[in-house]
Amino acid sequence: VIDKGKNIHAYVIGATNKPWALDWPFIRRFQKRILVPLPDHQARLSMFKLYTTSLNLSPDVRLDELARVSEGFSGSDIRDTCQSAHLRVVGEFFESGKASDKQAKPRPITMNNFKTILAERKPSVSLDMITSYNRWFDAFKAL
């Protein structure tokens, strides 16, 4: 990019959940293609730590166990799981009528709350989708 005689370097970064829907001229213009895989156990544990930092957790909550049982979940799935557990406890608090008492607070989120949420939801990325991503990235030699 040249602006009034100055050389300005610009990087263009794009992201998509459906790389196979891009046309060839578009793909060709991007020199690097990077596959961001689903988080491994350590990354899931870090995400659970991050997304529960501001939550009132019961002492029985074991984040390492949550990271283990959430294999195949995306970062967004983990965030949604933490948010859902929090919303259930807050909803329960309002339904109980205790919310009108200014001294009252919602109870801590328990391990059972997380297990219930995880039992009800499935990962948002299926094995078929992972296969499609891997096939596409193998074809285009992604990093």
Side-chain angles (χ1 to χ4, degrees):
V1 177
I2 299 175
D3 182 29
K4 296 183 183 178
K6 297 178 186 172
N7 286 330
I8 300 171
H9 298 280
Y11 292 93
V12 177
I13 299 172
T16 181
N17 289 335
K18 296 181 181 179
W20 46 84
L22 301 173
D23 68 348
W24 174 243
F26 185 84
I27 294 168
R28 190 171 40 93
R29 286 178 175 84
F30 284 86
Q31 295 172 345
K32 305 248 187 232
R33 289 166 287 279
I34 302 168
L35 171 63
V36 178
L38 291 173
D40 62 10
H41 181 273
Q42 191 59 44
R44 291 191 309 276
L45 177 59
S46 295
M47 289 179 201
F48 273 110
K49 287 178 181 177
L50 173 70
Y51 295 131
T52 60
T53 298
S54 63
L55 301 180
N56 181 15
L57 299 180
S58 171
D60 75 329
V61 174
R62 296 179 317 279
L63 298 180
D64 189 60
E65 173 69 8
L66 293 175
R68 187 186 67 73
V69 299
S70 61
E71 172 120 23
F73 278 53
S74 69
S76 179
D77 294 335
I78 292 168
R79 183 198 64 226
D80 292 348
T81 298
C82 295
Q83 186 177 47
S84 293
H86 177 68
L87 289 174
R88 285 219 179 155
V89 170
V90 170
E92 175 188 288
F93 178 67
F94 278 94
E95 288 173 11
S96 72
K98 295 178 185 175
S100 58
D101 178 1
K102 294 186 183 198
Q103 302 298 323
K105 293 184 179 178
R107 67 170 176 77
I109 302 167
T110 65
M111 188 67 173
N112 195 47
N113 293 130
F114 281 106
K115 285 183 176 181
T116 300
I117 299 293
L118 288 169
E120 292 173 356
R121 76 174 293 136
K122 301 289 183 233
S124 61
V125 181
S126 69
L127 291 176
D128 288 341
M129 290 172 70
I130 292 170
T131 301
S132 295
Y133 288 125
N134 289 333
R135 193 173 328 122
W136 191 90
F137 282 101
D138 285 343
F140 288 97
K141 302 298 178 209
L143 299 176

